[in-house]
Amino acid sequence: MKRAASPSENEAVAQRLKKEAAAAAPTPAPAKDNGEVPEGFMKLTEGSASMLYECRAEDTKTRGKGKDDGPVFYNKVQVFNRDVSVLVMALFAQWRYIEKRERQAGADARKAG
């Protein structure tokens, strides 16, 4: 049977989550509407919407070497979601492959016997 977490354990988890949320929270960009991008920020544009994104040390991993390349995800939760999704899809593909081979082996056995 699983035991309930103690209040001190719950508090420790809550404190850790608050620290992680604070670390992931973006820093407000300086209010400039003259088209200039302030130091430490990059301008992201999609369609007619634009926003300033704070560049952090962990964001230096890029997709390529071009000057316009940047981090693939701006939301850290999406990195985890991508990794889990890729693993689940790979596992599903393996299961489907095994099922297909088992069905084929059964069909071959019925034809032979």
Side-chain angles (χ1 to χ4, degrees):
M1 180 186 288
K2 190 175 182 181
R3 70 173 182 84
S6 70
S8 62
E9 290 173 322
N10 288 337
E11 183 63 29
V13 170
Q15 290 297 325
R16 182 178 53 82
L17 292 175
K18 284 180 187 177
K19 286 180 185 177
E20 289 176 4
T27 303
K32 289 186 180 180
D33 197 17
N34 58 3
E36 291 181 24
V37 178
E39 181 79 25
F41 289 85
M42 62 190 267
K43 185 176 183 179
L44 303 174
T45 303
E46 186 171 327
S48 61
S50 294
M51 67 178 247
L52 293 176
Y53 178 75
E54 181 183 19
C55 297
R56 298 180 182 172
E58 63 268 14
D59 296 334
T60 58
K61 296 178 183 171
T62 61
R63 293 172 289 183
K65 302 295 182 198
K67 70 178 185 78
D68 293 331
D69 287 345
V72 178
F73 293 109
Y74 303 106
N75 180 344
K76 292 184 182 301
V77 174
Q78 288 305 108
V79 174
F80 177 74
N81 288 342
R82 176 209 51 203
D83 294 345
V84 170
S85 295
V86 168
L87 288 172
V88 168
M89 288 187 291
L91 183 60
F92 178 75
Q94 288 176 357
W95 284 347
R96 292 289 294 160
Y97 176 78
I98 291 169
E99 288 175 354
K100 184 178 178 182
R101 299 285 294 191
E102 288 173 347
R103 280 195 309 270
Q104 186 64 41
D108 291 345
R110 283 190 297 276
K111 285 181 184 178

